[in-house]
Amino acid sequence: MTCLKQNLWLAIMAVITLFSCTQEDELPSGTLKDGEVNPEEFSYITAFNEEDVVNWMSYLPDAVSLNSLTIPGTHDSGSRHEPVSGTAKTQSLSISEQLQAGVRFLDIRCRHYQDAFVIHHGSIYQHLNFDDVLNACRQFLQHHPDETIIMSVKEEYNAEGNTMSFPEEFNTYVQQDSALWHLDPGIPTLGEARGKIVLFRRFGASENIGMNASHSWADQATFTISNGNYSLRVQDEYVVSSNTAKFDKVVQVMEEAFEAGTADNTLYVSFASGYKQILWAIPNIPGVSDEINPMLNSYFSTADKGRYGIIPVDFVTAELAANMVKSNF
């Protein structure tokens, strides 16, 4: 081989070697020896696309437990109708619109009426049935199978005209599409819950299903529900005399979640919802949300990355939900 050819060959080999080393150095730390990527590690390397809030859970690994996240929620999620302004309506967005905005905790209040569940806020029928709620959730999860929905189910108002109990009625809905539900007791991981509705149970049942919030729920209080190997820490002080004091209570439980760390097997739920009592104790719901929501939005605009638990709000907006979601990344 001539000197010129030998030098050309050495130069080519040097370029190939340099390119190979560069490619290896650029591989994500989660790459395995056979070239596969470990999704649990790679998920944290993949940057969250802030324009893709509708799929925000897809950016997280399967091993993440639901209690280690910040989860936007809505209070009385189906309440969009009221006879008197400010007294019963708690949301402007439909269930589908809430889910599209990033909400992943729904608070569903069911009146047991003539062997069916109809959605109420107190005595006020919300022109919505449980089938409507489930259809909205089903359609969302079919299009976004990496997401999950935590659904609080609670009996509301007076039961009338039924041939079965509330838990038996609930079971009939489950049996219509059992694959839609995650009913195992305890707090699941994302991998276990993807594509499903996770039950947050606020009704008594003979079976131990879902996350059990059916006992020890204190009225107008901050409290803990112990369930053996996991707990629920809840702030639900809904009669509000001072919005500043209410906001402080919301933040107190959010920051308990942040400081406890993900090894703590507690699900934190801090309701930012509430109402002020006006003349003759008539509730004024926007009198709270109109001040609390901007305060929350400002808080999450600068919040450190970490878990703050589930924060159900009245009159959720896409901006507020997105700012909560960002704290996971």
Side-chain angles (χ1 to χ4, degrees), residues 110-259:
C110 302
R111 182 188 183 191
H112 194 195
Y113 181 73
Q114 296 185 358
D115 286 333
F117 286 170
V118 294
I119 307 306
H120 268 241
H121 186 177
S123 63
I124 310 302
Y125 173 52
Q126 293 301 316
H127 305 278
L128 194 70
N129 299 329
F130 197 47
D131 280 325
D132 300 319
V133 173
L134 295 182
N135 286 337
C137 292
R138 182 184 296 106
Q139 290 175 16
F140 176 80
L141 292 171
Q142 286 173 347
H143 288 95
H144 308 278
D146 288 331
E147 306 301 295
T148 187
I149 300 165
I150 303 170
M151 183 184 292
S152 171
V153 177
K154 177 182 180 291
E155 185 168 8
E156 189 88 345
Y157 198 50
N158 300 326
E160 183 179 335
N162 302 297
T163 62
M164 62 185 79
S165 68
F166 189 94
E168 289 170 338
E169 193 75 66
F170 175 78
N171 190 53
T172 66
Y173 284 99
V174 170
Q175 294 309 312
Q176 292 172 15
D177 189 359
S178 59
L180 182 63
W181 293 90
H182 179 91
L183 297 177
D184 292 348
I187 304 171
T189 64
L190 259 179
E192 294 167 333
R194 292 194 198 275
K196 297 179 182 293
I197 300 171
V198 177
L199 176 63
F200 184 93
R201 179 167 56 88
R202 289 191 63 185
F203 61 90
S206 58
E207 297 178 278
N208 184 19
I209 55 173
M211 290 183 274
N212 186 4
S214 68
H215 63 99
S216 307
W217 191 283
D219 185 54
Q220 176 64 8
T222 298
F223 55 92
T224 300
I225 297 174
S226 297
N227 287 307
N229 62 346
Y230 72 98
S231 298
L232 308 173
R233 177 69 170 159
V234 180
Q235 179 279 125
D236 188 24
E237 303 191 33
Y238 56 86
V239 180
V240 178
S241 57
S242 162
N243 285 334
T244 301
K246 169 65 176 178
F247 182 71
D248 289 344
K249 291 172 182 177
V250 175
V251 170
Q252 174 189 335
V253 172
M254 292 195 317
E255 294 189 348
E256 284 181 25
F258 182 86
E259 293 166 4

Side-chain angles (χ1 to χ4, degrees), residues 72-127:
T74 48
H75 160 255
D76 260 300
S77 307
S79 295
R80 301 174 66 209
H81 298 273
E82 57 191 0
V84 178
S85 179
T87 61
K89 180 179 177 179
T90 59
Q91 303 300 330
S92 298
L93 302 182
S94 67
I95 298 293
S96 295
E97 290 168 337
Q98 291 171 33
L99 296 172
Q100 292 286 331
V103 168
R104 295 295 178 268
F105 176 89
L106 299 176
D107 174 20
I108 305 301
R109 309 293 179 97
C110 302
R111 182 188 183 191
H112 194 195
Y113 181 73
Q114 296 185 358
D115 286 333
F117 286 170
V118 294
I119 307 306
H120 268 241
H121 186 177
S123 63
I124 310 302
Y125 173 52
Q126 293 301 316
H127 305 278

Side-chain angles (χ1 to χ4, degrees), residues 19-90:
F19 179 79
S20 299
C21 291
T22 303
Q23 291 292 92
E24 183 177 353
D25 289 345
E26 289 179 353
L27 286 173
S29 61
T31 302
L32 307 179
K33 290 183 179 180
D34 60 2
E36 295 182 355
V37 175
N38 181 340
E40 293 184 15
E41 295 183 30
F42 189 67
S43 292
Y44 283 119
I45 297 169
T46 304
F48 171 57
N49 178 2
E50 294 185 1
E51 301 300 317
D52 193 28
V53 173
V54 68
N55 292 306
W56 69 267
M57 287 179 161
S58 70
Y59 292 84
L60 297 168
D62 284 351
V64 167
S65 175
L66 294 186
N67 74 316
S68 64
L69 301 174
T70 302
I71 300 177
T74 48
H75 160 255
D76 260 300
S77 307
S79 295
R80 301 174 66 209
H81 298 273
E82 57 191 0
V84 178
S85 179
T87 61
K89 180 179 177 179
T90 59

